[in-house]
């Protein structure tokens, strides 16, 4: 598992697709995990599920990702 700082991009992608609004977490989950590691892991799982549902077509998965996360990508490129 990578430290949160290294995984910040994936957390931003999770927020871009509003996973924080649709995923229900139990009360035992610490508040910092809700906005960090767990959200990032949920996004990775979602992207994997989309890839599999697209018959492992990376192009379709990439298109889905870019359509929903383009603003985050542009911010990251501008900040780098």
């Amino acid at each position: 598992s990578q430290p949160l700082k290294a995984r910040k991009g994936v957390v931003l992608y999770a927020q871009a697709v509003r996973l924080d609004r649709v995923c229900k977490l139990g009360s035992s989950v610490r508040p910092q995990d809700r906005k960090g590691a767990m959200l990032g892991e949920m996004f990775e799982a979602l992207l994997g599920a989309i890839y599999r549902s697209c018959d492992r077509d990376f192009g379709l998965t990439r298109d889905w990702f870019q359509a929903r996360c383009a603003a985050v990508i542009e911010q990251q490129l501008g900040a780098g």
Side-chain angles (χ1 to χ4, degrees), residues 59-76:
L60 291 174
T61 307
R62 180 198 60 226
D63 293 346
W64 179 92
F65 174 74
Q66 287 179 336
R68 284 151 186 87
C69 298
V72 174
I73 295 167
E74 289 175 16
Q75 285 177 338
Q76 289 178 317

Side-chain angles (χ1 to χ4, degrees), residues 11-25:
V11 173
L12 294 173
Y13 301 145
Q15 292 169 339
V17 298
R18 304 172 82 172
L19 279 181
D20 55 331
R21 295 185 181 184
V22 297
C23 292
K24 303 295 181 200
L25 300 174

Side-chain angles (χ1 to χ4, degrees), residues 6 18 25 27 29-30 38 43 45-46 51 55 57 59 65 71:
R18 304 172 82 172
L25 300 174
S27 60
V29 177
R30 297 178 308 171
M38 291 192 83
F43 181 78
L46 174 65
Y51 175 72
D55 295 325
D57 184 330
F65 174 74

